[in-house]
Amino acid sequence: MATDMQKLMGASEEDDEEEMDVKEEDDEDEENGERRIAAQMMMGVDEVMPSTSSGGQFQHQQQLQEQVGTPGGGGARRSRPPEEKERTKLRERHRRAITARILAGLRRHGNYNLRVRADINDVIAALAREAGWVVLPDGTTFPSRSPGSRPTGGNSAGMTSSSSQMVSQQTPPTSLQGVSSGYRTSVEYNASRMKGVFMPSSSPYDLSSSARSQSSGMVGDGGEQIESLPFISGSMEAINDKQLGVINIKCELVDPDGLLKQLRVLKSINVDGVMVDCWWGIVEAHAPQEYNWNGYRRLFQMVRELKLKLQVVMSFHECGGNVGDDVCIPLPHWIAEIGRSNPDIFFTDREGRRNPECLSWGIDKERVLRGRTAVEVYFDYMRSFRVEFDEFFEDGIISMVEVGLGPCGELRYPSCPVKHGWRYPGIGEFQCYDQYMLKSLRKAAAMRGHSFWARGPDNAGSYNSQPHETCFFCDGGDYDGYYGRFFLNWYSQLLVDHGDRVLSLAKLAFEGSCIAAKLPGIHWWYKTASHAAELTAGFYNPCNRDGYTAIAAMLKKHGAALNFACAELNFLEQHEDLREALADARGLVWQVLNAAWDVCIPVASENAVLCLDRVGYNKILDNVKPVNDPEGRHFSSFTYLRLSPLLMERQNFMEFERFVKRMHGEAVVDLLV
């Protein structure tokens, strides 16, 4: 999907050569007024729409420049011969052509989401960030490991130009020093414009400091938490909006006046409610069981005053580095301190690289978090939330709680981490090499009487391998042998057991309230026998086995709804990158939906990619509210991603309003687009 978005946003090499603005400094061209004015004009086009008088302004500036450059103009600069000016133009044209090819290559092969009129400064900043440096909007650059050089300042609200999403801009407190070499402030994310391309230096928790895989295309397999509301009276009664960066790292509400205006506009078109991530890394940031809910309380009061519904996500993962993430919210500081002395609390790949995006499921029952197990930490957090916002539950304002179960809040292993070099359509890697999961594997192998099976596969390739390139995932490979079936059963059962443990405690903490869990849509390599990308993510779903029935049964056991990001997946199959990856989004969607509907659990959904046009909305409606389903099955709710100024633009908002009416079952004339 990210690759698809790249193609939509990027320009071809020929377009780049015509439109690219190059702002390199050159000793001979530094005082060339024509070049300077041209650069100003192109910047103006990128930032705002030029007025109709721009041509007159350009001519006027040219005349002023000529006056300054001539002796009669009163300036000190000498006029340059026409031959020299022509040579300068040729050199500049040559530079632009080279830069256009460089940028086209970075977009196509390196997954750099550079704007159409990017300049050399954007490229340098992108490369610096990939190397783990911090680059602020004013160009200030310093190593991310140098806390003393970080500027200090207050909080302010900002907006990314690439996604137009509101985010908080704050400087991390000094207690964050050393949490991760890849830690980035939201200021950096605003400046980088590189959604889904976060590539920090190796984590300080890694066993090996080497290790970065080669780049290829990337697809986000779901990077945000979603919400769902009940389906009422035969019509879709739930449209929700999601926005990142509403609460900053100090648990303060960012731009409350602006947010209130947006919420009022949404209320005016009968949007049912909003969804909010309650980040563990913000609320319990500094010390165990010291919770700060201040910003969330103020936000929830605003929502209640507008008579909107609330859905909340218990986000036990870090935010940053996935598709749609424009802020950086790490895990709590005290967790990072534990991780520095005991890095096995994090998921680990075969080469020993740690992933501090969330806690390993191996410590669910290990008292390694200052006397508590991981599930006890999750339960205490959820119970604190329930007590803090009791009146919102009693009044029915909070209609559902989604429980984060893994990276990006999804029930899966972090098998495809961009920060470790994964790019779509790589198969990913197994994440079971921390000491606690290896201990579980040894125990399972001993119970089977094959202690030599207490190891991970050594022929499963790397993050960016393809199934046929490995002996484990190829047709007839080891995945379907005796050892392979044992390992994959153990690996996938850990995923189900983790969901079972956390949801059982969530049901206890939120007794009487609806709870939900989220699954990703890993559709690449679905048409192969092994379904390799699903296997590394923990879904034991090869062509001869249904890997989603056990998960659906577990959700049914706890009365939990399924949130599945699939609203528009099954019309993406025409894209070339999906065909090359032997993807089958439609097949995956119907397999997961049937597993859920067979056990009669509610299904909610969201859009996985940005949608602003009628064609996209109609596709979503066809999938969320199928007209010809013989059993009358449908989704219980739909979450729109995401609330942003781009959505609020007149034409976009008119289409969205029409979409909301149709989702609620109102008759709307479907005029030609």
Side-chain angles (χ1 to χ4, degrees), residues 9-12 15-23 38-50 96 99-100 103-104 107 113-123 161 193:
M9 297 175 63
S12 64
D15 292 338
D16 287 336
E17 292 181 14
E18 294 176 1
E19 298 179 338
M20 191 60 57
D21 174 28
V22 182
K23 296 187 290 185
Q40 292 171 353
M41 290 299 296
M42 300 188 83
M43 288 171 61
V45 172
D46 185 60
E47 294 173 3
V48 295
M49 292 297 293
R96 293 185 182 186
T99 304
L103 294 177
R107 291 191 190 98
N113 193 2
L114 298 170
R115 56 193 177 95
V116 173
R117 293 184 178 86
D119 56 33
I120 197 66
N121 292 336
D122 293 323
V123 177
S161 62
R193 303 183 181 89

mmCIF file of all heavy atoms in Angstrom, residues 9-12 15-23 38-50 96 99-100 103-104 107 113-123 161 193:
data_model
loop_
_atom_site.group_PDB
_atom_site.id
_atom_site.type_symbol
_atom_site.label_atom_id
_atom_site.label_comp_id
_atom_site.label_asym_id
_atom_site.label_seq_id
_atom_site.Cartn_x
_atom_site.Cartn_y
_atom_site.Cartn_z
ATOM 1 N N MET A 9 1.794 9.691 -5.332
ATOM 2 C CA MET A 9 2.335 10.968 -4.894
ATOM 3 C C MET A 9 3.570 11.379 -5.678
ATOM 4 O O MET A 9 3.847 12.543 -5.867
ATOM 5 C CB MET A 9 2.674 10.911 -3.393
ATOM 6 C CG MET A 9 1.458 10.675 -2.506
ATOM 7 S SD MET A 9 1.914 10.461 -0.788
ATOM 8 C CE MET A 9 2.616 12.069 -0.461
ATOM 9 N N GLY A 10 4.346 10.398 -6.100
ATOM 10 C CA GLY A 10 5.593 10.712 -6.781
ATOM 11 C C GLY A 10 5.357 11.109 -8.214
ATOM 12 O O GLY A 10 4.311 10.910 -8.805
ATOM 13 N N ALA A 11 6.354 11.680 -8.831
ATOM 14 C CA ALA A 11 6.279 12.062 -10.239
ATOM 15 C C ALA A 11 7.268 11.238 -11.018
ATOM 16 O O ALA A 11 8.195 10.663 -10.487
ATOM 17 C CB ALA A 11 6.581 13.550 -10.408
ATOM 18 N N SER A 12 7.089 11.164 -12.317
ATOM 19 C CA SER A 12 8.022 10.435 -13.166
ATOM 20 C C SER A 12 9.300 11.220 -13.320
ATOM 21 O O SER A 12 9.377 12.395 -12.973
ATOM 22 C CB SER A 12 7.388 10.206 -14.535
ATOM 23 O OG SER A 12 7.158 11.444 -15.171
ATOM 24 N N ASP A 15 8.748 14.257 -15.491
ATOM 25 C CA ASP A 15 8.096 15.362 -14.807
ATOM 26 C C ASP A 15 9.054 16.053 -13.872
ATOM 27 O O ASP A 15 9.039 17.276 -13.733
ATOM 28 C CB ASP A 15 6.888 14.848 -14.010
ATOM 29 C CG ASP A 15 5.785 14.350 -14.931
ATOM 30 O OD1 ASP A 15 5.778 14.773 -16.097
ATOM 31 O OD2 ASP A 15 4.954 13.546 -14.467
ATOM 32 N N ASP A 16 9.886 15.263 -13.192
ATOM 33 C CA ASP A 16 10.839 15.855 -12.264
ATOM 34 C C ASP A 16 11.790 16.781 -13.002
ATOM 35 O O ASP A 16 12.174 17.833 -12.495
ATOM 36 C CB ASP A 16 11.635 14.757 -11.544
ATOM 37 C CG ASP A 16 10.761 14.059 -10.514
ATOM 38 O OD1 ASP A 16 9.788 14.694 -10.070
ATOM 39 O OD2 ASP A 16 11.072 12.903 -10.191
ATOM 40 N N GLU A 17 12.230 16.375 -14.213
ATOM 41 C CA GLU A 17 13.187 17.190 -14.939
ATOM 42 C C GLU A 17 12.583 18.533 -15.310
ATOM 43 O O GLU A 17 13.268 19.546 -15.371
ATOM 44 C CB GLU A 17 13.644 16.456 -16.195
ATOM 45 C CG GLU A 17 14.496 15.225 -15.888
ATOM 46 C CD GLU A 17 14.947 14.534 -17.156
ATOM 47 O OE1 GLU A 17 14.829 15.148 -18.227
ATOM 48 O OE2 GLU A 17 15.410 13.393 -17.067
ATOM 49 N N GLU A 18 11.247 18.558 -15.524
ATOM 50 C CA GLU A 18 10.616 19.802 -15.918
ATOM 51 C C GLU A 18 10.287 20.669 -14.717
ATOM 52 O O GLU A 18 10.333 21.891 -14.795
ATOM 53 C CB GLU A 18 9.325 19.497 -16.682
ATOM 54 C CG GLU A 18 9.559 18.804 -18.010
ATOM 55 C CD GLU A 18 8.257 18.445 -18.692
ATOM 56 O OE1 GLU A 18 7.209 18.771 -18.121
ATOM 57 O OE2 GLU A 18 8.313 17.858 -19.766
ATOM 58 N N GLU A 19 9.956 20.036 -13.551
ATOM 59 C CA GLU A 19 9.420 20.797 -12.438
ATOM 60 C C GLU A 19 10.384 20.959 -11.274
ATOM 61 O O GLU A 19 10.143 21.725 -10.376
ATOM 62 C CB GLU A 19 8.154 20.103 -11.915
ATOM 63 C CG GLU A 19 7.056 20.016 -12.947
ATOM 64 C CD GLU A 19 5.844 19.300 -12.399
ATOM 65 O OE1 GLU A 19 6.016 18.549 -11.428
ATOM 66 O OE2 GLU A 19 4.763 19.506 -12.932
ATOM 67 N N MET A 20 11.474 20.206 -11.276
ATOM 68 C CA MET A 20 12.338 20.165 -10.106
ATOM 69 C C MET A 20 13.022 21.498 -9.886
ATOM 70 O O MET A 20 13.525 22.114 -10.817
ATOM 71 C CB MET A 20 13.392 19.071 -10.279
ATOM 72 C CG MET A 20 14.158 18.794 -9.010
ATOM 73 S SD MET A 20 13.045 18.268 -7.716
ATOM 74 C CE MET A 20 12.278 16.881 -8.484
ATOM 75 N N ASP A 21 13.027 21.928 -8.635
ATOM 76 C CA ASP A 21 13.710 23.153 -8.254
ATOM 77 C C ASP A 21 14.964 22.786 -7.496
ATOM 78 O O ASP A 21 14.888 22.160 -6.452
ATOM 79 C CB ASP A 21 12.791 24.010 -7.366
ATOM 80 C CG ASP A 21 13.508 25.234 -6.830
ATOM 81 O OD1 ASP A 21 14.428 25.692 -7.511
ATOM 82 O OD2 ASP A 21 13.145 25.700 -5.737
ATOM 83 N N VAL A 22 16.101 23.166 -8.013
ATOM 84 C CA VAL A 22 17.374 22.845 -7.390
ATOM 85 C C VAL A 22 17.931 24.109 -6.788
ATOM 86 O O VAL A 22 18.071 25.110 -7.467
ATOM 87 C CB VAL A 22 18.361 22.268 -8.418
ATOM 88 C CG1 VAL A 22 19.658 21.907 -7.744
ATOM 89 C CG2 VAL A 22 17.749 21.053 -9.075
ATOM 90 N N LYS A 23 18.279 24.023 -5.498
ATOM 91 C CA LYS A 23 18.750 25.204 -4.803
ATOM 92 C C LYS A 23 20.174 25.008 -4.297
ATOM 93 O O LYS A 23 20.513 25.368 -3.187
ATOM 94 C CB LYS A 23 17.806 25.522 -3.639
ATOM 95 C CG LYS A 23 16.403 25.876 -4.085
ATOM 96 C CD LYS A 23 15.543 26.343 -2.946
ATOM 97 C CE LYS A 23 15.236 25.192 -2.032
ATOM 98 N NZ LYS A 23 14.308 25.548 -0.969
ATOM 99 N N ALA A 38 13.781 32.603 -9.889
ATOM 100 C CA ALA A 38 13.138 31.370 -10.333
ATOM 101 C C ALA A 38 12.908 30.422 -9.167
ATOM 102 O O ALA A 38 11.855 29.793 -9.049
ATOM 103 C CB ALA A 38 13.986 30.691 -11.404
ATOM 104 N N ALA A 39 13.912 30.323 -8.293
ATOM 105 C CA ALA A 39 13.764 29.457 -7.124
ATOM 106 C C ALA A 39 12.638 29.945 -6.229
ATOM 107 O O ALA A 39 11.852 29.168 -5.702
ATOM 108 C CB ALA A 39 15.080 29.411 -6.334
ATOM 109 N N GLN A 40 12.544 31.298 -6.061
ATOM 110 C CA GLN A 40 11.481 31.842 -5.235
ATOM 111 C C GLN A 40 10.117 31.534 -5.828
ATOM 112 O O GLN A 40 9.174 31.201 -5.130
ATOM 113 C CB GLN A 40 11.660 33.352 -5.085
ATOM 114 C CG GLN A 40 12.898 33.743 -4.271
ATOM 115 C CD GLN A 40 13.161 35.230 -4.321
ATOM 116 O OE1 GLN A 40 12.501 35.954 -5.056
ATOM 117 N NE2 GLN A 40 14.129 35.672 -3.551
ATOM 118 N N MET A 41 10.005 31.651 -7.140
ATOM 119 C CA MET A 41 8.723 31.379 -7.766
ATOM 120 C C MET A 41 8.314 29.921 -7.580
ATOM 121 O O MET A 41 7.167 29.621 -7.296
ATOM 122 C CB MET A 41 8.795 31.711 -9.258
ATOM 123 C CG MET A 41 8.890 33.211 -9.545
ATOM 124 S SD MET A 41 7.448 34.102 -8.927
ATOM 125 C CE MET A 41 6.188 33.367 -9.929
ATOM 126 N N MET A 42 9.244 28.991 -7.708
ATOM 127 C CA MET A 42 8.909 27.573 -7.588
ATOM 128 C C MET A 42 8.554 27.234 -6.151
ATOM 129 O O MET A 42 7.690 26.417 -5.890
ATOM 130 C CB MET A 42 10.058 26.713 -8.103
ATOM 131 C CG MET A 42 10.372 26.972 -9.559
ATOM 132 S SD MET A 42 11.547 25.816 -10.227
ATOM 133 C CE MET A 42 10.452 24.476 -10.624
ATOM 134 N N MET A 43 9.229 27.844 -5.207
ATOM 135 C CA MET A 43 8.865 27.631 -3.816
ATOM 136 C C MET A 43 7.461 28.139 -3.550
ATOM 137 O O MET A 43 6.691 27.541 -2.813
ATOM 138 C CB MET A 43 9.857 28.333 -2.884
ATOM 139 C CG MET A 43 11.219 27.670 -2.823
ATOM 140 S SD MET A 43 12.395 28.667 -1.937
ATOM 141 C CE MET A 43 11.611 28.726 -0.342
ATOM 142 N N GLY A 44 7.105 29.235 -4.148
ATOM 143 C CA GLY A 44 5.772 29.769 -3.971
ATOM 144 C C GLY A 44 4.707 28.828 -4.483
ATOM 145 O O GLY A 44 3.659 28.670 -3.893
ATOM 146 N N VAL A 45 4.981 28.175 -5.576
ATOM 147 C CA VAL A 45 4.021 27.222 -6.125
ATOM 148 C C VAL A 45 3.838 26.056 -5.180
ATOM 149 O O VAL A 45 2.747 25.553 -4.979
ATOM 150 C CB VAL A 45 4.486 26.741 -7.519
ATOM 151 C CG1 VAL A 45 3.606 25.605 -7.997
ATOM 152 C CG2 VAL A 45 4.461 27.894 -8.509
ATOM 153 N N ASP A 46 4.912 25.616 -4.549
ATOM 154 C CA ASP A 46 4.851 24.446 -3.668
ATOM 155 C C ASP A 46 4.102 24.742 -2.397
ATOM 156 O O ASP A 46 3.409 23.912 -1.854
ATOM 157 C CB ASP A 46 6.267 23.979 -3.348
ATOM 158 C CG ASP A 46 6.246 22.699 -2.539
ATOM 159 O OD1 ASP A 46 5.709 21.697 -3.039
ATOM 160 O OD2 ASP A 46 6.776 22.723 -1.425
ATOM 161 N N GLU A 47 4.259 25.972 -1.888
ATOM 162 C CA GLU A 47 3.699 26.271 -0.587
ATOM 163 C C GLU A 47 2.267 26.793 -0.690
ATOM 164 O O GLU A 47 1.394 26.405 0.049
ATOM 165 C CB GLU A 47 4.577 27.288 0.143
ATOM 166 C CG GLU A 47 5.956 26.719 0.473
ATOM 167 C CD GLU A 47 6.876 27.777 1.033
ATOM 168 O OE1 GLU A 47 6.422 28.904 1.218
ATOM 169 O OE2 GLU A 47 8.043 27.455 1.285
ATOM 170 N N VAL A 48 2.004 27.711 -1.616
ATOM 171 C CA VAL A 48 0.668 28.258 -1.779
ATOM 172 C C VAL A 48 0.393 28.390 -3.247
ATOM 173 O O VAL A 48 1.300 28.427 -4.074
ATOM 174 C CB VAL A 48 0.537 29.645 -1.095
ATOM 175 C CG1 VAL A 48 0.696 29.529 0.402
ATOM 176 C CG2 VAL A 48 1.554 30.630 -1.651
ATOM 177 N N MET A 49 -0.872 28.537 -3.598
ATOM 178 C CA MET A 49 -1.229 28.725 -4.989
ATOM 179 C C MET A 49 -0.878 30.145 -5.401
ATOM 180 O O MET A 49 -1.240 31.113 -4.740
ATOM 181 C CB MET A 49 -2.739 28.502 -5.178
ATOM 182 C CG MET A 49 -3.144 27.058 -4.955
ATOM 183 S SD MET A 49 -2.384 25.943 -6.143
ATOM 184 C CE MET A 49 -3.198 26.499 -7.628
ATOM 185 N N PRO A 50 -0.156 30.344 -6.493
ATOM 186 C CA PRO A 50 0.240 31.681 -6.905
ATOM 187 C C PRO A 50 -0.962 32.469 -7.390
ATOM 188 O O PRO A 50 -1.923 31.927 -7.916
ATOM 189 C CB PRO A 50 1.229 31.413 -8.041
ATOM 190 C CG PRO A 50 0.813 30.095 -8.581
ATOM 191 C CD PRO A 50 0.310 29.313 -7.428
ATOM 192 N N ARG A 96 19.791 20.085 -12.639
ATOM 193 C CA ARG A 96 18.403 19.711 -12.400
ATOM 194 C C ARG A 96 18.106 18.311 -12.924
ATOM 195 O O ARG A 96 17.377 17.533 -12.292
ATOM 196 C CB ARG A 96 17.466 20.725 -13.059
ATOM 197 C CG ARG A 96 17.524 22.103 -12.427
ATOM 198 C CD ARG A 96 16.504 23.023 -13.042
ATOM 199 N NE ARG A 96 16.588 24.366 -12.467
ATOM 200 C CZ ARG A 96 15.744 25.350 -12.734
ATOM 201 N NH1 ARG A 96 14.755 25.136 -13.578
ATOM 202 N NH2 ARG A 96 15.883 26.534 -12.186
ATOM 203 N N THR A 99 19.652 15.824 -10.488
ATOM 204 C CA THR A 99 18.882 15.774 -9.254
ATOM 205 C C THR A 99 17.555 15.057 -9.463
ATOM 206 O O THR A 99 17.100 14.285 -8.613
ATOM 207 C CB THR A 99 18.623 17.196 -8.725
ATOM 208 O OG1 THR A 99 19.876 17.863 -8.569
ATOM 209 C CG2 THR A 99 17.900 17.153 -7.389
ATOM 210 N N ALA A 100 16.908 15.305 -10.616
ATOM 211 C CA ALA A 100 15.635 14.640 -10.902
ATOM 212 C C ALA A 100 15.805 13.129 -10.941
ATOM 213 O O ALA A 100 14.966 12.384 -10.419
ATOM 214 C CB ALA A 100 15.073 15.144 -12.233
ATOM 215 N N LEU A 103 16.326 11.798 -7.321
ATOM 216 C CA LEU A 103 15.096 11.763 -6.556
ATOM 217 C C LEU A 103 14.155 10.679 -7.057
ATOM 218 O O LEU A 103 13.486 10.002 -6.268
ATOM 219 C CB LEU A 103 14.409 13.131 -6.615
ATOM 220 C CG LEU A 103 15.169 14.277 -5.938
ATOM 221 C CD1 LEU A 103 14.435 15.575 -6.133
ATOM 222 C CD2 LEU A 103 15.350 13.995 -4.464
ATOM 223 N N ALA A 104 14.100 10.503 -8.380
ATOM 224 C CA ALA A 104 13.256 9.447 -8.928
ATOM 225 C C ALA A 104 13.726 8.075 -8.451
ATOM 226 O O ALA A 104 12.920 7.200 -8.112
ATOM 227 C CB ALA A 104 13.256 9.510 -10.455
ATOM 228 N N ARG A 107 12.752 7.642 -4.751
ATOM 229 C CA ARG A 107 11.332 7.336 -4.594
ATOM 230 C C ARG A 107 11.023 5.903 -5.005
ATOM 231 O O ARG A 107 10.301 5.179 -4.329
ATOM 232 C CB ARG A 107 10.488 8.291 -5.454
ATOM 233 C CG ARG A 107 10.470 9.742 -4.981
ATOM 234 C CD ARG A 107 9.401 10.514 -5.731
ATOM 235 N NE ARG A 107 9.500 11.944 -5.473
ATOM 236 C CZ ARG A 107 10.100 12.801 -6.286
ATOM 237 N NH1 ARG A 107 10.630 12.362 -7.413
ATOM 238 N NH2 ARG A 107 10.162 14.071 -5.996
ATOM 239 N N ASN A 113 9.548 9.141 0.510
ATOM 240 C CA ASN A 113 8.330 9.849 0.119
ATOM 241 C C ASN A 113 8.646 11.330 -0.028
ATOM 242 O O ASN A 113 8.234 12.161 0.773
ATOM 243 C CB ASN A 113 7.246 9.628 1.167
ATOM 244 C CG ASN A 113 5.896 10.070 0.683
ATOM 245 O OD1 ASN A 113 5.744 10.510 -0.452
ATOM 246 N ND2 ASN A 113 4.907 9.964 1.545
ATOM 247 N N LEU A 114 9.408 11.679 -1.061
ATOM 248 C CA LEU A 114 9.812 13.062 -1.286
ATOM 249 C C LEU A 114 8.771 13.773 -2.132
ATOM 250 O O LEU A 114 8.215 13.205 -3.066
ATOM 251 C CB LEU A 114 11.170 13.099 -1.995
ATOM 252 C CG LEU A 114 12.333 12.467 -1.220
ATOM 253 C CD1 LEU A 114 13.554 12.344 -2.110
ATOM 254 C CD2 LEU A 114 12.668 13.288 0.012
ATOM 255 N N ARG A 115 8.522 15.051 -1.802
ATOM 256 C CA ARG A 115 7.537 15.801 -2.558
ATOM 257 C C ARG A 115 8.009 16.035 -3.989
ATOM 258 O O ARG A 115 9.183 15.886 -4.303
ATOM 259 C CB ARG A 115 7.254 17.137 -1.870
ATOM 260 C CG ARG A 115 8.477 18.002 -1.650
ATOM 261 C CD ARG A 115 8.173 19.145 -0.681
ATOM 262 N NE ARG A 115 9.368 19.931 -0.403
ATOM 263 C CZ ARG A 115 9.692 21.028 -1.045
ATOM 264 N NH1 ARG A 115 8.927 21.468 -2.021
ATOM 265 N NH2 ARG A 115 10.787 21.691 -0.741
ATOM 266 N N VAL A 116 7.084 16.426 -4.863
ATOM 267 C CA VAL A 116 7.400 16.574 -6.284
ATOM 268 C C VAL A 116 8.508 17.583 -6.508
ATOM 269 O O VAL A 116 9.450 17.347 -7.269
ATOM 270 C CB VAL A 116 6.129 16.992 -7.060
ATOM 271 C CG1 VAL A 116 6.472 17.307 -8.508
ATOM 272 C CG2 VAL A 116 5.096 15.882 -6.998
ATOM 273 N N ARG A 117 8.440 18.719 -5.826
ATOM 274 C CA ARG A 117 9.455 19.757 -6.014
ATOM 275 C C ARG A 117 10.477 19.733 -4.878
ATOM 276 O O ARG A 117 10.876 20.768 -4.364
ATOM 277 C CB ARG A 117 8.787 21.127 -6.120
ATOM 278 C CG ARG A 117 7.956 21.268 -7.386
ATOM 279 C CD ARG A 117 7.381 22.673 -7.507
ATOM 280 N NE ARG A 117 6.640 22.820 -8.738
ATOM 281 C CZ ARG A 117 5.363 22.506 -8.901
ATOM 282 N NH1 ARG A 117 4.700 22.001 -7.883
ATOM 283 N NH2 ARG A 117 4.763 22.684 -10.055
ATOM 284 N N ALA A 118 10.863 18.569 -4.485
ATOM 285 C CA ALA A 118 11.889 18.443 -3.448
ATOM 286 C C ALA A 118 13.202 19.036 -3.952
ATOM 287 O O ALA A 118 13.480 19.055 -5.152
ATOM 288 C CB ALA A 118 12.085 16.976 -3.076
ATOM 289 N N ASP A 119 14.000 19.519 -3.035
ATOM 290 C CA ASP A 119 15.297 20.058 -3.418
ATOM 291 C C ASP A 119 16.394 19.265 -2.709
ATOM 292 O O ASP A 119 16.127 18.308 -1.984
ATOM 293 C CB ASP A 119 15.397 21.555 -3.106
ATOM 294 C CG ASP A 119 15.110 21.864 -1.650
ATOM 295 O OD1 ASP A 119 15.436 21.023 -0.785
ATOM 296 O OD2 ASP A 119 14.560 22.928 -1.364
ATOM 297 N N ILE A 120 17.630 19.675 -2.930
ATOM 298 C CA ILE A 120 18.758 18.925 -2.393
ATOM 299 C C ILE A 120 18.750 18.932 -0.867
ATOM 300 O O ILE A 120 19.215 17.991 -0.226
ATOM 301 C CB ILE A 120 20.092 19.496 -2.939
ATOM 302 C CG1 ILE A 120 21.220 18.494 -2.734
ATOM 303 C CG2 ILE A 120 20.400 20.851 -2.325
ATOM 304 C CD1 ILE A 120 21.059 17.227 -3.536
ATOM 305 N N ASN A 121 18.177 19.992 -0.267
ATOM 306 C CA ASN A 121 18.096 20.039 1.192
ATOM 307 C C ASN A 121 17.193 18.931 1.729
ATOM 308 O O ASN A 121 17.458 18.335 2.776
ATOM 309 C CB ASN A 121 17.567 21.406 1.644
ATOM 310 C CG ASN A 121 18.554 22.519 1.368
ATOM 311 O OD1 ASN A 121 19.745 22.277 1.258
ATOM 312 N ND2 ASN A 121 18.050 23.736 1.238
ATOM 313 N N ASP A 122 16.081 18.646 1.012
ATOM 314 C CA ASP A 122 15.196 17.563 1.433
ATOM 315 C C ASP A 122 15.917 16.223 1.394
ATOM 316 O O ASP A 122 15.734 15.367 2.258
ATOM 317 C CB ASP A 122 13.965 17.509 0.526
ATOM 318 C CG ASP A 122 13.079 18.731 0.680
ATOM 319 O OD1 ASP A 122 12.961 19.204 1.816
ATOM 320 O OD2 ASP A 122 12.530 19.207 -0.323
ATOM 321 N N VAL A 123 16.730 16.022 0.345
ATOM 322 C CA VAL A 123 17.462 14.765 0.219
ATOM 323 C C VAL A 123 18.469 14.614 1.352
ATOM 324 O O VAL A 123 18.577 13.565 1.993
ATOM 325 C CB VAL A 123 18.173 14.685 -1.143
ATOM 326 C CG1 VAL A 123 19.002 13.417 -1.238
ATOM 327 C CG2 VAL A 123 17.160 14.726 -2.274
ATOM 328 N N SER A 161 3.095 18.861 6.154
ATOM 329 C CA SER A 161 2.681 19.255 4.820
ATOM 330 C C SER A 161 2.389 18.053 3.954
ATOM 331 O O SER A 161 1.690 18.148 2.966
ATOM 332 C CB SER A 161 3.780 20.100 4.169
ATOM 333 O OG SER A 161 4.957 19.358 4.037
ATOM 334 N N ARG A 193 8.660 14.595 6.461
ATOM 335 C CA ARG A 193 7.720 14.234 5.399
ATOM 336 C C ARG A 193 8.018 12.848 4.847
ATOM 337 O O ARG A 193 7.978 12.625 3.664
ATOM 338 C CB ARG A 193 7.752 15.254 4.257
ATOM 339 C CG ARG A 193 7.465 16.682 4.694
ATOM 340 C CD ARG A 193 7.437 17.593 3.490
ATOM 341 N NE ARG A 193 7.181 18.959 3.862
ATOM 342 C CZ ARG A 193 8.126 19.823 4.167
ATOM 343 N NH1 ARG A 193 9.378 19.449 4.170
ATOM 344 N NH2 ARG A 193 7.825 21.060 4.468
#
